[in-house]
């Protein structure tokens, strides 16, 4: 039940649907001057975000992790795990493990 309620609230937020979760909020919404008048929602302009240029890093800048030829990323994951394990074994900034 809790999951369904959360999903419904997320959809309401996504589509900008007002929701009253208690009587005080419902009274406030119904008594609002916007309740019986025409409302023009403000649409956000995401064109700058959508058309932005993303930096492309070379393989060397990414730490040399390359995906295997099969495309499953096994070699990349193994190399990343090895690097993570090495980082854990190294002492921290102040010489503490």
């Amino acid at each position: 039940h809790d999951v369904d309620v959360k999903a419904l609230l997320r959809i309401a937020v996504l589509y900008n649907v007002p929701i009253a979760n208690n009587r005080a909020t419902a009274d406030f919404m119904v008594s609002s001057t916007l309740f019986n008048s025409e409302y023009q929602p403000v649409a956000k302009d995401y064109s700058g975000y959508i058309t932005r240029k993303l930096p492309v890093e070379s393989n060397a800048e990414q730490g040399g992790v390359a995906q295997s030829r099969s495309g499953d990323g096994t070699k990349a994951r193994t190399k990343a795990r090895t690097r993570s394990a090495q980082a854990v074994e190294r002492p921290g900034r102040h010489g503490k493990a």
Side-chain angles (χ1 to χ4, degrees):
H1 177 70
D2 184 51
V3 176
D4 296 331
V5 173
K6 287 181 180 179
L8 182 62
L9 290 173
R10 285 189 195 114
I11 290 171
V13 168
L14 179 67
Y15 290 101
N16 203 19
V17 176
I19 293 210
N21 293 320
N22 56 39
R23 186 175 178 139
T25 306
D27 288 342
F28 182 74
M29 288 172 54
V30 172
S31 64
S32 171
T33 58
L34 296 174
F35 194 76
N36 292 320
S37 62
E38 189 66 28
Y39 175 71
Q40 292 293 338
V42 178
K44 292 186 179 181
D45 181 18
Y46 291 105
S47 61
Y49 177 77
I50 293 170
T51 59
R52 74 191 187 285
K53 298 289 183 191
L54 297 176
V56 179
E57 296 180 9
S58 69
N59 193 24
E61 291 172 347
Q62 294 175 359
V65 177
Q67 199 170 14
S68 66
R69 287 186 181 160
S70 65
D72 65 356
T74 306
K75 288 181 183 177
R77 284 193 299 272
T78 304
K79 198 165 191 177
R81 277 192 219 116
T82 303
R83 206 176 297 122
S84 295
Q86 290 170 347
V88 171
E89 292 170 4
R90 280 189 233 132
R93 269 186 172 175
H94 305 288
K96 298 176 185 173

